Amino acid sequence: MSDDHHPQLGFIRKYVFSVDHKVIGIQYMLTAMCFMFFGLCLMSMMRWQLAYPGEVMPILGSLTETFMPGGIMLPEFYNALGAMHGTIMVFLAVVPILVGGFGNYVMPLQIGAPDMAFPKLNMMSYWVFAAGGVVMLVSFFVPGGAANSGWTSYAPLSVVATTGQTYWLIGMVLLITSSLLGSVNFIVTIVHLRVKGLTMFRLPFFVWAQLVTAFLLLLAFPPLEAAGLLQLMDRVAGTSFFMPEGLVVSGEVASYTGGGSPLLYQHLFWFLAHPEVYVLVLPAMGIVVEVLTNNTRKPLWGYRTIIYSTVFLGFMSFLVWAHHMFMTGMGTQLGAFFATTTMIISIPSVIILTAMVITLYNGSIRFNVPMLFALAFLPMFAIGGLTGLPLGLPASDIQLHDTYYVIGHFHYVVAPGTIFAIFAGIYYWFPKATGKQLNSMLGKLHFWLSFICINIAFAPMFWQGLAGVSRRLYDQTTYEHGKAVQELTKLSSYGVWLLALSQLPFILNFFASIFAGKKASANPWDATTIEWSAPSPPPHGNFAKVPVVHRGPYEYTVPGAAKNFLPQTEASEA
């Protein structure tokens, strides 16, 4: 299975149009991290406008006279920044890192496979994703600028929006197609390419998380792809799937025929977008479990229980979408149904989080950098989950809907939640991918700065939301209730800017360690899962010989053993 008997590939075949799951995983990771940095820049620009409305923006104020005449941001440009920030961070950054990056690189190694089931399909999924990202970025340079109808792109506003919305829709169709190609590949690989002895209940939890995530992508993305294509037809072909009769646009009745339904688009969008939350969360939980068990030096508590909870979570995620739509006037019976399912879906999340916390109890905890990020995930995700409960009940959601409270809730799930898990995974598997160790001192500096600044950035939003400040206001000081919490807005903006600066130690550490980092052993963390039995970095084909699995994934602190861990591939002594 090593690459001794394979012909040498040229640079283009080996690193650009590669079919090796490891190279594709790194391509996804690096591309998505660039998009994440760009998305953070967009948010930083928005925060200047919110903190100092109507004032000249420093440094970037002369970016373009079209959208920032005299260095002052126009409302249309602010709306475009908001729409593109949300789209980029969710669809071009976090999901590609967690699924395309970690999933592609780590999952085949953890099941002992030489590659993905369909390597060429895997390559195609990356390049379709990259094309979707390019189309999204190009939209900034078309007349009228990028899409400015919010990251949800609700009709009918998005149907009559500027040209950038058409690019947004084409980009989304490409991104969804990429996810569908990847999800089929993941499912087939996990089901068919496991090595001898690796039963489903010997799989690491990370693999289970990727499997359930792949089913979510496969089942939930087609409705959004249909919605995108139908909205594209409304924009370019004169149809009216989402355009109601008698709609007044710029003082004139729009010349659309038929009786389109704007609510249909919302249903199609949220049928994907709520499972999408778990597409973000489940792989993040998978990473955190791997790091927690390794650094507590004890088995995962309730292994089967959290697997059943994960499967149930995936199933229930398709039954809660309309809790985003209580404001649309649905009846009390329908509202009660979606409120009930929303409360039910919180139960498996609590079970998984509780299992992680119990795993820590009486453990021999090592506070290395991956563990710090994994530990921080627990309270941050818990805050995100608890603050989401009022949004799942019609009585409280009607008051909080579209306020900064929603932004605070969602960002605690996605920013300190999933992004902390991403960093935990990068610090944990970096030695496997590169054969080098990241610097621990720079890593801890990165963690503490990020942990402090991310809370300064997002915690004030709960109080802004409770004060009634709408999340899409270009200038909240227009209203008295917005003026009353303007100092919190400034505090949040400073938190965002400091958070951006806090990533400098990581960037320095990442590139310095690749070229001059300390050499890592094949298993620097004394881990038990299969990927650590491969060389670091793994060659083409991953393993010198086909591994055989003898036990579960988290065999730590085995009584009477010479060492406190037993790898899955190590046979028991006779």
Side-chain angles (χ1 to χ4, degrees):
M1 294 178 69
S2 67
D3 52 2
D4 296 339
H5 304 293
H6 293 272
Q8 290 297 314
L9 300 175
F11 180 85
I12 298 294
R13 284 290 310 278
K14 189 171 183 180
Y15 296 110
V16 182
F17 296 107
S18 175
V19 293
D20 189 323
H21 74 98
K22 299 181 294 297
V23 176
I24 294 170
I26 292 170
Q27 287 176 324
Y28 263 113
M29 180 73 70
L30 294 178
T31 306
M33 286 177 75
C34 291
F35 281 123
M36 182 178 285
F37 177 75
F38 184 64
L40 185 59
C41 292
L42 299 186
M43 179 168 66
S44 298
M45 294 173 68
M46 293 171 66
R47 294 310 310 184
W48 173 266
Q49 167 58 29
L50 292 170
Y52 300 103
E55 296 188 24
V56 176
M57 182 182 296
I59 304 174
L60 296 175
S62 57
L63 186 66
T64 167
E65 279 296 310
T66 305
F67 300 113
M68 299 180 68
I72 298 172
M73 189 180 297
L74 291 178
E76 295 85 357
F77 188 50
Y78 176 83
N79 288 340
L81 292 179
M84 295 305 291
H85 165 73
T87 303
I88 287 169
M89 294 303 266
V90 173
F91 296 106
L92 287 169
V94 177
V95 172
I97 288 175
L98 288 169
V99 181
F102 285 113
N104 256 308
Y105 196 100
V106 177
M107 182 272 289
L109 287 168
Q110 286 200 329
I111 65 172
D115 208 316
M116 298 289 280
F118 308 115
K120 290 183 179 179
L121 198 68
N122 204 20
M123 177 188 72
M124 187 175 175
S125 73
Y126 169 74
W127 283 106
V128 174
F129 155 74
V134 169
V135 171
M136 288 281 187
L137 294 187
V138 167
S139 69
F140 278 96
F141 304 100
V142 301
N148 55 12
S149 305
W151 79 279
T152 55
S153 290
Y154 279 175
L157 176 63
S158 55
V159 179
V160 298
T162 55
T163 310
Q165 184 66 34
T166 302
Y167 283 74
W168 187 93
L169 291 165
I170 295 171
M172 283 302 298
V173 168
L174 291 170
L175 294 175
I176 293 167
T177 302
S178 166
S179 292
L180 293 176
L181 295 175
S183 61
V184 170
N185 211 351
F186 273 58
I187 293 167
V188 175
T189 301
I190 294 169
V191 171
H192 285 288
L193 295 190
R194 303 190 314 277
V195 292
K196 182 180 178 182
L198 189 61
T199 61
M200 292 300 287
F201 284 103
R202 283 181 172 177
L203 288 174
F205 179 65
F206 177 81
V207 178
W208 269 104
Q210 292 287 343
L211 179 62
V212 175
T213 299
F215 274 106
L216 295 184
L217 291 170
L218 187 65
L219 298 175
F221 255 137
L224 183 60
E225 185 152 28
L229 289 170
L230 294 178
Q231 190 179 117
L232 195 59
M233 294 293 288
D234 278 6
R235 287 184 58 83
V236 302
T239 59
S240 56
F241 292 107
F242 306 127
M243 294 294 286
E245 291 182 1
L247 183 71
V248 176
V249 180
S250 300
E252 297 182 4
V253 177
S255 57
Y256 289 93
T257 58
S261 170
L263 279 183
L264 174 60
Y265 177 83
Q266 290 193 34
H267 281 291
L268 292 171
F269 180 88
W270 287 115
F271 189 78
L272 162 275
H274 200 85
E276 178 76 6
V277 173
Y278 298 102
V279 170
L280 304 172
V281 167
L282 287 177
M285 286 179 166
I287 292 171
V288 170
V289 163
E290 299 300 311
V291 175
L292 284 179
T293 51
N294 177 260
N295 289 294
T296 52
R297 313 309 294 166
K298 56 182 291 195
L300 174 64
W301 187 89
Y303 170 77
R304 289 196 177 220
T305 304
I306 69 169
I307 288 173
Y308 295 139
S309 297
T310 302
V311 174
F312 181 65
L313 191 71
F315 170 75
M316 286 299 296
S317 69
F318 290 98
L319 301 178
V320 298
W321 80 91
H323 69 212
H324 296 273
M325 300 172 58
F326 288 137
M327 294 288 283
T328 60
M330 67 175 68
T332 53
Q333 288 181 319
L334 212 55
F337 170 80
F338 284 108
T340 303
T341 54
T342 302
M343 295 304 108
I344 291 171
I345 203 174
S346 66
I347 296 171
S349 299
V350 171
I351 291 172
I352 296 169
L353 209 61
T354 303
M356 294 183 195
V357 173
I358 294 176
T359 301
L360 295 173
Y361 177 72
N362 211 24
S364 236
I365 299 176
R366 306 185 301 194
F367 292 100
N368 50 38
V369 179
M371 188 61 165
L372 289 174
F373 277 105
L375 288 172
F377 169 88
L378 301 177
M380 297 296 97
F381 179 75
I383 291 171
L386 287 171
T387 54
L389 293 178
L391 300 175
L393 300 170
S396 48
D397 179 68
I398 287 170
Q399 310 301 319
L400 296 169
H401 189 81
D402 261 347
T403 68
Y404 267 94
Y405 184 94
V406 178
I407 298 289
H409 151 67
F410 183 71
H411 280 78
Y412 260 94
V413 172
V414 176
T418 58
I419 292 177
F420 274 13
I422 286 170
F423 282 126
I426 290 173
Y427 282 98
Y428 184 66
W429 280 301
F430 186 87
K432 179 52 57 183
T434 65
K436 304 287 183 66
Q437 282 277 26
L438 285 163
N439 182 276
S440 179
M441 185 184 72
L442 284 174
K444 289 178 180 178
L445 178 65
H446 173 222
F447 166 74
W448 285 111
L449 289 175
S450 297
F451 182 75
I452 293 167
C453 295
I454 212 163
N455 283 287
I456 295 173
F458 298 119
M461 293 181 179
F462 294 121
W463 281 270
Q464 290 175 274
L466 292 170
V469 180
S470 172
R471 63 175 172 169
R472 290 195 172 95
L473 285 178
Y474 159 76
D475 178 4
Q476 69 186 44
T477 60
T478 307
Y479 303 94
E480 287 301 320
H481 67 283
K483 284 182 183 177
V485 291
Q486 181 63 7
E487 291 306 312
L488 287 177
T489 302
K490 290 182 180 179
L491 177 64
S492 183
S493 293
Y494 279 102
V496 169
W497 298 328
L498 291 172
L499 176 63
L501 292 174
S502 300
Q503 306 317 302
L504 293 178
F506 169 74
I507 296 170
L508 173 63
N509 195 0
F510 186 87
F511 288 104
S513 297
I514 286 176
F515 296 107
K518 180 182 175 184
K519 187 171 175 58
S521 65
N523 188 4
W525 309 112
D526 290 337
T528 56
T529 44
I530 302 177
E531 78 269 25
W532 299 105
S533 64
S536 298
H540 181 77
N542 298 336
F543 300 92
K545 62 179 182 178
V546 180
V548 177
V549 170
H550 298 279
R551 58 184 57 81
Y554 308 116
E555 297 289 343
Y556 293 102
T557 62
V558 180
K563 53 189 177 184
N564 70 345
F565 69 102
L566 282 174
Q568 283 188 280
T569 55
E570 187 175 292
S572 301
E573 294 182 7

